[in-house]
């Protein structure tokens, strides 16, 4: 039987000005277990929920996706302020998306909730032939800021569930 449940508010960021890293696709893969190569970034769900059973607990994820509004930097606090966790996504085939990520981490650390769980996802790991960011470098950086790190592929369903499970493991139950 289920012993506990918890609700996890999560924002999926928003590399400022970096659309196309696969944020919406990651959320879509997690929530619907499917991949739409023509996902429309403006329709991209801005709020979705998914409940998963983990061991004998129910974990309900309430997920905010900036859905193309990451250009509007001033809006960002609206998304992360009430969040227990944030997923910061970069594209392993685009070095500049990894550099931008560091600004975003800085902002989160300065203005986000004090104990926010930060997870870094290096997405599109199915495209290793055109990789620009080494996994080792990203892992070292993530370790240095005590962030969760995984390389993911929303396309091939690699490490998507693992990413969310790891986040929920780091967030204590309310009860
Ligand atoms: P967002 O703007 O960050 O929300 O990115 P989207 O989810 O809209 O994805 C941008 C583009 O990258 C789309 O053409 C997706 O099909 C593609 N994409 C997303 N995730 C992956 C992935 O894991 N592998 C590959 N090869 N393409 C992906």
């Amino acid at each position: 039987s289920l012993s506990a449940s918890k609700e996890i508010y999560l924002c999926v960021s928003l590399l400022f000005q970096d659309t196309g890293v696969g944020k919406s696709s990651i959320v879509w893969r997690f929530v619907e277990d499917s991949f739409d190569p023509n996902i429309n970034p403006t329709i991209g769900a801005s709020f979705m929920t998914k409940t998963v059973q983990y061991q004998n607990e129910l974990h309900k994820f309430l997920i905010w996706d900036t859905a193309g509004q990451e250009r509007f930097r001033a809006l960002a606090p609206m998304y992360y302020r009430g969040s227990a966790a944030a997923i910061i996504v970069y594209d392993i085939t685009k070095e500049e998306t990894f550099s931008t990520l560091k600004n975003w981490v800085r902002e989160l650390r300065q203005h986000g909730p004090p104990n926010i769980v930060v997870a870094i996802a290096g997405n599109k790991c199915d495209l290793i032939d055109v990789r620009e960011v080494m996994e080792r470098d990203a892992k070292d950086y993530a370790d240095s800021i005590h962030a969760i790190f995984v390389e993911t592929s929303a396309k091939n369903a690699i490490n998507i569930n693992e990413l969310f499970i790891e986040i929920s493991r780091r967030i204590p139950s309310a009860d």
Side-chain angles (χ1 to χ4, degrees), residues 42-62:
T42 55
I43 297 179
S46 50
F47 183 70
M48 291 209 267
T49 69
K50 171 145 176 144
T51 301
V52 293
Q53 188 176 338
Y54 176 66
Q55 291 171 350
N56 57 353
E57 291 188 337
L58 278 186
H59 295 182
K60 181 177 185 185
F61 291 91
L62 303 108

Side-chain angles (χ1 to χ4, degrees), residues 13 18-26 35-41 65 67-68 70 89 91 123-127 152-156:
S13 59
D18 274 329
T19 53
V21 294
K23 300 181 299 291
S24 302
S25 298
I26 286 174
F35 178 75
D36 175 2
N38 301 312
I39 196 165
N40 183 331
D65 179 351
E70 45 275 73
V89 184
D91 176 345
N123 193 43
K124 308 196 188 181
C125 73
D126 54 289
L127 299 176
T152 56
S153 169
K155 185 178 180 189
N156 293 356

Side-chain angles (χ1 to χ4, degrees), residues 17-34:
Q17 327 214 353
D18 274 329
T19 53
V21 294
K23 300 181 299 291
S24 302
S25 298
I26 286 174
V27 174
W28 198 242
R29 169 62 74 188
F30 177 60
V31 172
E32 295 291 334
D33 196 18
S34 69

Side-chain angles (χ1 to χ4, degrees), residues 90 120-123 135 148-152 159-160 162-163 166:
Y90 69 94
I120 295 175
N123 193 43
E135 184 169 13
I148 293 166
F149 171 72
V150 279
E151 283 196 348
T152 56
N159 277 342
I160 302 295
E162 289 79 357
L163 169 64
E166 186 55 29

